[in-house]
Amino acid sequence: MRSWGCRQGALLRFAGSGHRNARHLSTEARMRSLLIGKDTKVMYQGFTGRVATQNAKDSIAYGTKIVGGVTPGKDGEHLGLPICPSVRAAKDQLKPDATAIFVPMTGAAAAIEEAIEAEIPLIVAVAEHIPIYDMIRIKQMLKGSKSWLVGANSPGIIAPLHSCRIGFQPLPIYKPGHVGVIAKSGTLSYETVGSLSRAGLGQSLCIGCGGDPIAGTTLEEAFRVLVDDPDTHALVVVGEVGGHAETGLARLISEYRANTDQPKPIATLVAGRTAPLEHVMGHAGAFQGPNEPSAEDKYKTLQRSGSTMVDHPEKFGPIVKKLLNVPGGFSQKRAFHTHRQRIGTATTSSRQQQIRSLHLKGAKTTDLLAKAFPDFHLNESASTSSSSIQVIGNLNRTTANPRIEFHLPGSDNQDSNNNVVYLELDGSGEHKQALEEFGSSISRLKIPAVDALVPHLRPAALSLSKFMQSYEVLSAQLSLSLGDKGQPTLGNAVLHFDDAAFKSAKRQESVFALRDKSVEDQTEVEAESHGIVYVTLYPNDPSASIGTLVNGAGLAMNTVDVLALPPHNAKCANFLDTGGKATSDTVKKSFELILSDQRIKVIFVNIFGGLTDCGMIADGIMLAFKEVDMRGVPVVVRLRGTNEEIGQKKIAESGLSLEAFDGFEDAAKRVVELANA
C-alpha cells in the first residue's frame, strides 16, 4: 500500500486529536487503508464467479496487484492465482491488504462479516440491496475491529494515479492525476470523472461511498483522508438527498478552510434538490427522512462553507481547472478518447429488480404496533393538538443507531429550541448513559400541556426502538396524546420499512403481505416489475411535460434538478432510473412507461455510459421507435461515456426523428424549447 509517512500526523491533527480517545485514534489509523496503490495486495471473495473473474482480469490489466481469492470449500488455482477455501485461510496464505467482495446480495453481509473476523484491513463491498439492519450490525462489528469498509451499494475505490482498482469502475474514463473524487452516486461519479478527464485533469483517488443509508465510508471520512493526501491537489464531492453527511461535510470544510493557509480547491454537487418527499429515488438511501435536511438545504450549507457549487457534473472539469489555475482553455469537444474501446466491466448474469421501500399508514399499522406497545391505546386517526407530542423514529445514518425523538408543543425542528428530547441507543447494548441523559432531559421539561405524558416518554422510546429493530423500520412517525379516559394513546402512524430485508433476506414476510399494490401508482408498479424505478412527478400539473429516461439514480435526480431549477425553470413529469446496467429491452420499456403519461411533450434521454454501453442504448432507442407508438413526441438524446461515438453514430444514421447532443447544457436547452413550444 502507499506509504502513509508524514500524513498520519496531519490527519490526526485535522481530526482534532485533543478531544478524541484511543478508539477514535484507532479509527483514524484504519482509515489509512483507503490510500490504495500499486503495492496494495487485493484478493477476491467469490473469486471463481463469472463477474469476479472478468473483473479480476480487467483489474490485473490495469495494474492492480491481485494475489488470489476465496471460493468456499475449494483449493487450487484460478487465473494462475491461488484459491483458498475460507477468508481466514486466505488471510494467512495471501496476506492481503484488501478484499473485493463479489458475491450475490443474499450472501454479501455474511461475506463482509467473515472479512471483518479475519481482520482484512480494507473491505470493498459492491453489492446492492443488502438489508439495512444487516449493515447496522456490520457497522457495530467494525467499531471494535481492525478493518475498514467501503460500500455497500458502491462502485468501490480506484486510484488512477497508482494503478489500483477495487470495484467495478469503467476503467477507460479514468486518467492519472491529482483530483480526488468522493461520491454517493456511481453514475454521477462516472460523469464527474469523464468531465475531469476531458478537461485534462486526472484523478488521484476516487472513493465511492455508495447510496445506502448506512455507509461503510461516509463523505466526511473520505474527505478527511483526501484533504491530507499530498497526491490530491483538489477535491470533488458528489452528495445527494438523504441523511446529514453533507452538512457534516460542510462543517469539516469550514474548519479546514479556517485553519489552513492554502486550502485545496473543493467543488461540490448535491443531487435530488427537487426530489419529492416520501419517495425513494432509486438508491436505498436516496430519500429525505423525518427531520433530515433537504438536498436544497444541504446545497446551501455547503455553499456557505466555501465550497464551489456545481449544478451538473459535466461542469466539474472546467471549474476545477479554473480553481487550480491550470493553463489552457477547455473545449466541449472531446479531448480524451480512451473510452472508445470498452474494457470488459462487471455485470450480473440476470438483472436484479430495483428494490423500493414500503410505506404503511393507518389501519395496516395497528396490529404491528399493538404487539410492540401493549401498554398504549392505539388510534388510527388520533387528533393532534397543543397537548400531543410528535414521536419520530429514525436511523442516525452517521452512528448507525435508531434515534427516537419527541417533539413537544412549540418545537418545529430538533435544533429550534429545547422542546425536543431524544433517545439514541447504541447497537452494542450499552444503554446506561443514554438512558440517564434521556431521563435528565425529561426531568427538565416544564410544559404544562403535556405534563401528564412525560412519564410515558421513556417506555414509548424503548418500545419504538425495539419495534424498529424487530421489523427493520427505516423511519416511523406517530403522535402521542392522552385518550378520553386518560390512557396514553399512539396514533397517525406512518411507517417506512426496508424491503431489502424481505426481497434479499426473505425476512418480514408478514409486513410485506400488507402491501396493497392496487392503491399505488400503477405506472410505478409496472416499472418495478421490469427492474425500473419510476416516480410520477407533479401528477396534477399539466405543465409538467418533460419525460426523462436516465441510467442511474443520482444522474436521474440531477437531470430533473437541472431542468427544474434556474435558468431552465421547467417541470419534468417523471423520474426514471433504468438502472446502472440498462439493456435494450429496459430502454424500450422505459419509453412505454413515459408515453403512458399523456402530458408528455418531449422525452429527454440522458445517458452516461459507465457500465452501460452507449451503443446498446442506441439500439434500445431505435427498438422503441420501431415497436412503440411514439405519438409524434420528439426525443432529445445525449449519450456520453463507454462507446459514446458508436452510440452517437447509430443515432445520427438511424434516419429517425431524433436530436442528438454531445453536451448536457445544449441538450437541456433544446428539451425546454420543445416543452414550451
Side-chain angles (χ1 to χ4, degrees):
M1 301 173 78
R2 282 192 283 172
S3 173
W4 185 258
C6 64
R7 286 175 291 214
Q8 178 180 3
L11 178 59
L12 296 186
R13 284 195 299 274
F14 176 65
S17 58
H19 64 273
R20 292 179 179 269
N21 59 28
R23 190 187 73 174
H24 288 97
L25 291 175
S26 174
T27 297
E28 305 301 336
R30 289 185 295 123
M31 285 168 58
R32 284 179 286 165
S33 62
L34 292 170
L35 288 170
I36 59 174
K38 59 184 176 62
D39 295 324
T40 302
K41 293 181 289 185
V42 181
M43 75 173 203
Y44 280 77
Q45 289 173 250
F47 187 33
T48 55
R50 184 183 61 83
V51 173
T53 298
Q54 184 59 55
N55 185 273
K57 289 179 180 178
D58 296 339
S59 294
I60 291 170
Y62 188 64
T64 310
K65 192 173 184 178
I66 308 298
V67 294
V70 174
T71 296
K74 290 186 179 180
D75 284 300
E77 284 192 355
H78 182 59
L79 303 180
L81 297 168
I83 300 173
C84 300
S86 69
V87 177
R88 177 65 68 181
K91 172 69 182 301
D92 294 338
Q93 180 180 341
L94 306 177
K95 296 179 171 49
D97 300 305
T99 179
I101 295 181
F102 275 73
V103 300
M105 59 186 179
T106 52
I112 296 171
E113 291 173 344
E114 189 178 2
I116 296 171
E117 291 168 354
E119 300 182 341
I120 307 298
L122 177 62
I123 303 166
V124 179
V126 301
E128 293 182 81
H129 313 318
I130 297 178
I132 302 306
Y133 278 81
D134 288 356
M135 286 302 302
I136 289 175
R137 183 179 67 251
I138 286 167
K139 287 286 280 190
Q140 294 298 332
M141 290 179 65
L142 285 165
K143 287 180 181 179
S145 77
K146 295 182 179 180
S147 301
W148 191 264
L149 174 67
V150 171
N153 190 12
S154 160
I157 181 170
I158 184 170
L161 186 60
H162 297 278
S163 303
C164 185
R165 173 229 212 182
I166 312 174
F168 56 77
Q169 303 88 345
L171 291 170
I173 65 172
Y174 291 84
K175 180 180 180 181
H178 297 283
V179 181
V181 178
I182 306 164
K184 282 185 175 180
S185 162
T187 48
L188 282 177
S189 73
Y190 305 151
E191 176 102 59
T192 297
V193 168
S195 175
L196 292 168
S197 294
R198 286 191 299 274
L201 298 174
Q203 305 82 45
S204 55
L205 185 67
C206 304
I207 302 173
C209 295
D212 281 353
I214 306 300
T217 301
T218 66
L219 296 180
E220 304 106 296
E221 290 163 341
F223 176 85
R224 282 159 57 190
V225 169
L226 280 176
V227 80
D228 279 296
D229 176 21
D231 287 336
T232 299
H233 301 167
L235 285 84
V236 169
V237 184
V238 178
E240 65 183 26
V241 65
H244 293 83
E246 292 80 1
T247 53
L249 175 65
R251 288 191 292 271
L252 279 181
I253 292 174
S254 297
E255 177 187 343
Y256 167 68
R257 290 174 57 83
N259 295 292
T260 308
D261 291 335
Q262 293 182 317
K264 299 175 183 180
I266 302 165
T268 309
L269 178 149
V270 180
R273 293 165 63 191
T274 60
L277 294 173
E278 293 192 4
H279 278 280
V280 178
M281 309 303 286
H283 291 325
F287 65 92
Q288 182 183 339
N291 284 345
E292 290 181 347
S294 68
E296 182 65 20
D297 290 338
K298 294 194 284 190
Y299 177 96
K300 292 176 180 176
T301 302
L302 283 161
Q303 190 173 44
R304 289 192 295 269
S305 75
S307 176
T308 299
M309 303 308 296
V310 174
D311 63 357
H312 188 271
E314 186 179 68
K315 298 180 180 179
F316 273 124
I319 285 176
V320 175
K321 195 169 189 176
K322 183 177 180 180
L323 291 172
L324 285 170
N325 295 316
V326 175
F330 172 76
S331 170
Q332 186 60 48
K333 295 180 181 179
R334 287 183 290 276
F336 178 60
H337 291 288
T338 60
H339 46 305
R340 285 182 179 178
Q341 294 180 350
R342 185 182 186 189
I343 292 181
T345 51
T347 55
T348 53
S349 57
S350 62
R351 181 173 161 76
Q352 296 290 355
Q353 180 176 323
Q354 292 280 355
I355 297 182
R356 301 183 61 197
S357 302
L358 173 66
H359 285 81
L360 293 178
K361 60 181 68 176
K364 290 181 180 294
T365 67
T366 302
D367 290 342
L368 293 175
L369 291 169
K371 299 174 184 177
F373 296 90
D375 298 325
F376 290 76
H377 177 67
L378 296 175
N379 187 335
E380 295 163 12
S381 56
S383 61
T384 57
S385 67
S386 59
S387 60
S388 63
I389 296 174
Q390 183 185 20
V391 185
I392 294 176
N394 207 5
L395 288 181
N396 184 327
R397 302 193 192 198
T398 302
T399 63
N401 297 321
R403 176 185 170 106
I404 313 302
E405 298 179 359
F406 296 93
H407 290 241
L408 282 67
S411 59
D412 296 323
N413 62 66
Q414 65 185 59
D415 298 317
S416 63
N417 51 47
N418 294 322
N419 290 356
V420 177
V421 293
Y422 71 89
L423 176 65
E424 184 172 319
L425 300 180
D426 192 313
S428 66
E430 297 295 327
H431 305 325
K432 183 177 180 181
Q433 182 177 350
L435 290 170
E436 287 177 353
E437 291 175 355
F438 183 59
S440 178
S441 298
I442 291 175
S443 67
R444 291 195 297 267
L445 295 176
K446 301 296 180 185
I447 303 177
V450 294
D451 275 351
L453 287 172
V454 169
H456 303 292
L457 298 188
R458 175 173 166 143
L462 292 173
S463 295
L464 182 55
S465 179
K466 184 177 180 180
F467 173 78
M468 290 179 65
Q469 294 176 68
S470 297
Y471 288 94
E472 303 186 66
V473 178
L474 298 183
S475 68
Q477 299 181 70
L478 308 96
S479 63
L480 175 62
S481 60
L482 288 180
D484 296 336
K485 299 180 180 180
Q487 72 276 37
T489 300
L490 290 169
N492 307 309
V494 178
L495 306 176
H496 176 191
F497 299 88
D498 173 30
D499 66 355
F502 172 56
K503 292 181 177 177
S504 296
K506 307 303 180 186
R507 301 193 295 258
Q508 310 301 345
E509 293 185 6
S510 61
V511 172
F512 283 84
L514 299 174
R515 181 182 179 186
D516 184 359
K517 293 183 180 180
S518 68
V519 300
E520 299 178 23
D521 184 311
Q522 292 306 296
T523 305
E524 296 180 8
V525 172
E526 183 180 3
E528 182 183 352
S529 69
H530 290 272
I532 300 166
V533 176
Y534 184 101
V535 177
T536 301
L537 304 175
Y538 311 105
N540 299 314
D541 187 344
S543 69
S545 59
I546 300 173
T548 63
L549 192 165
V550 189
N551 66 316
L555 190 59
M557 283 190 287
N558 181 246
T559 300
V560 174
D561 288 345
V562 176
L563 292 171
L565 295 167
H568 299 300
N569 300 307
K571 286 185 178 179
C572 296
N574 72 283
F575 162 99
L576 189 150
D577 168 20
T578 65
K581 299 179 281 290
T583 67
S584 295
D585 286 338
T586 56
V587 172
K588 173 194 166 188
K589 187 62 186 180
S590 295
F591 273 102
E592 293 177 352
L593 295 167
I594 293 168
L595 289 164
S596 68
D597 188 334
Q598 297 302 310
R599 299 176 297 167
I600 298 298
K601 296 169 69 175
V602 58
I603 296 175
F604 185 18
V605 179
N606 183 31
I607 300 293
F608 190 91
L611 300 181
T612 302
D613 185 302
C614 290
M616 180 274 300
I617 292 292
D619 291 338
I621 294 171
M622 291 185 287
L623 182 65
F625 267 80
K626 180 180 178 181
E627 300 185 5
V628 178
D629 180 8
M630 299 297 293
R631 298 197 281 110
V633 173
V635 178
V636 174
V637 180
R638 173 185 175 262
L639 296 178
R640 297 300 294 265
T642 302
N643 285 339
E644 63 184 47
E645 289 136 330
I646 294 174
Q648 290 169 355
K649 183 179 180 181
K650 286 183 177 182
I651 294 295
E653 297 176 353
S654 68
L656 300 173
S657 179
L658 297 166
E659 296 189 41
F661 289 83
D662 194 59
F664 177 86
E665 194 59 35
D666 290 338
K669 288 179 181 177
R670 182 56 178 154
V671 167
V672 175
E673 287 175 2
L674 291 168
N676 292 334

